[in-house]
Amino acid sequence: MEDINELATSRRDVFKAMGATALAGALLGMAGLDPAIAQELKPSAKPLKAAMSNAGLQASWCAQGKQAAEAWAKLMNVEITWFDGELSATKQRSAIDNLATQKWDFVAIQTFGIGTLNDPIKKVIDAGTPVIALDTMMAPEGQLALHTFIAPDNVMMGSVVADQLMKAIGGKGNVVMTQGALGHTGAQGRAKGFMNVLANYPDVKLVDEQPADWDVTKVARIWESLLTKYPDIAGGFFHNDDMALAAHNVMKAKGREGIVIAGVDAMPPAVNAVLDGTMLATVRNPSCRIHGWGVAAGVAAAAGGEKAGPGGIPNFILADGPVITKDTAPGHLWLQKNFLI
């Protein structure tokens, strides 16, 4: 016991001599952690010019992402010029062709479709500008020397919501999957997650899987037709919540509100729809994290000299988000209000 007391006393004396900063480093070192692991997230010392784009500001997820990026940019001394994709691969390509003719400190883009922006983005990269892919793959792996790719696990999101949907309908009946844009790798992942779960339910029949391209007007047309064609639909899975709530409006108008619906993104209207029982479930695709982290990564590259690869930023960063429950919904809404998730 005396030996233990002497050891404890000697350690206290050493820690006092080291001071608080060195003490923290020593404790982290004893725990096997790098003392420099928590570095300050710094704004740029000089104003930076960034170009950003996402699939289309008609989608609430994209509109929130723009707001989040601008909030983070204000904190980090960045001026953003926005190039709206307008939910069209052709229109986004035209906007990015224009972007590529100008000089930027960094560029961050969510593309409407994989491989649609390769030529103008290659020009930007060849000019020495860091390019960050947001949410969906910009090009097949290896085609573009991107700075990093920040995205959620879309397969997981599709599967966890599909699993809740299958259980809610008792594992039988007709279901519909309303997809986003087929060239969008996020939509592809959500479809894969859904189909993985569907394979475990032989008594569930997928009667329609049309894409609506994230467009609520297309959703309304599709569901007007589906509700006429199928008198019995047990559930619907939607690649985003805007589409789910648009379909619900059609169901309500036709007196078909018994269809169980679930979606992805967990935007505030959908979170409230889970709270009031309009929607079964949603899962957060963290728009604020993805767009905000895109700004942070751009500042680290342009102002801090951070390189891509070993010792710098990795080529992929997972931006995760939770499944929304009635217990977690209020806190989640607060996080979104402050552009934190």
Side-chain angles (χ1 to χ4, degrees), residues 20-21 48 51 71 74 87 117-118 151 193 214 232 242 260 287 302 304 323 326-328 339:
T21 302
L48 297 178
K74 186 176 181 180
L87 297 183
L117 305 176
N118 283 23
W214 319 114
D232 183 15
D242 288 357
V260 180
S287 179
V323 176
K326 290 184 177 182
D327 290 337
T328 62
F339 303 121

Side-chain angles (χ1 to χ4, degrees), residues 42-290:
K42 295 181 179 180
S44 173
K46 66 174 185 177
L48 297 178
K49 289 181 60 179
M52 295 187 71
S53 175
N54 56 23
L57 297 176
Q58 301 100 307
S60 65
W61 187 92
C62 292
Q64 185 189 60
K66 179 177 183 287
Q67 291 178 327
E70 290 169 345
W72 282 60
K74 186 176 181 180
L75 294 173
M76 303 193 76
N77 200 15
V78 177
E79 177 187 343
I80 295 175
T81 300
W82 205 269
F83 293 82
D84 187 8
E86 299 186 61
L87 297 183
S88 164
T90 302
K91 290 180 179 178
Q92 188 180 45
R93 173 57 187 264
S94 177
I96 304 308
D97 281 337
N98 178 23
L99 178 158
T101 66
Q102 302 174 57
K103 176 65 178 173
W104 309 99
D105 292 300
F106 68 89
V107 171
I109 294 176
Q110 178 211 30
T111 181
F112 185 78
I114 188 170
T116 59
L117 305 176
N118 283 23
D119 289 343
I121 291 301
K122 189 173 186 303
K123 291 179 183 177
V124 174
I125 293 170
D126 288 347
T129 305
V131 176
I132 298 150
L134 306 175
D135 183 61
T136 185
M137 287 182 69
M138 192 174 290
E141 192 170 351
Q143 288 191 3
L144 293 172
L146 298 171
H147 189 65
T148 191
F149 174 35
I150 304 170
D153 183 342
N154 285 285
V155 176
M156 179 279 292
M157 292 195 297
S159 63
V160 295
V161 174
D163 187 60
Q164 291 198 33
L165 179 64
M166 299 304 171
K167 290 174 180 176
I169 65 174
K172 60 183 179 181
N174 293 333
V175 298
V176 172
M177 173 172 61
T178 300
Q179 301 194 68
L182 296 183
H184 184 285
T185 59
Q188 293 168 8
R190 292 169 205 184
K192 182 177 180 180
F194 176 84
M195 298 302 288
N196 287 347
V197 172
L198 179 65
N200 297 320
Y201 290 89
D203 295 328
V204 175
K205 182 180 180 181
L206 179 62
V207 296
D208 189 87
E209 53 182 310
Q210 293 179 68
D213 299 327
W214 319 114
D215 187 331
V216 295
T217 303
K218 289 184 181 180
V219 172
R221 289 199 301 266
I222 289 170
W223 274 85
E224 285 275 357
S225 176
L226 290 174
L227 294 175
T228 301
K229 184 176 181 179
Y230 299 103
D232 183 15
I233 297 175
F237 169 62
F238 299 81
H239 282 192
N240 79 0
D241 295 325
D242 288 357
M243 296 193 298
L245 293 173
H248 173 74
N249 288 337
V250 178
M251 297 171 196
K252 186 176 180 180
K254 288 184 169 289
R256 298 281 294 277
E257 294 181 79
I259 299 172
V260 180
I261 62 173
V264 173
D265 283 348
M267 293 297 295
V271 175
N272 286 315
V274 171
L275 284 170
D276 68 21
T278 300
M279 288 181 64
L280 169 70
T282 185
V283 60
R284 179 60 172 164
N285 180 12
S287 179
C288 303
R289 282 180 173 172
I290 290 170

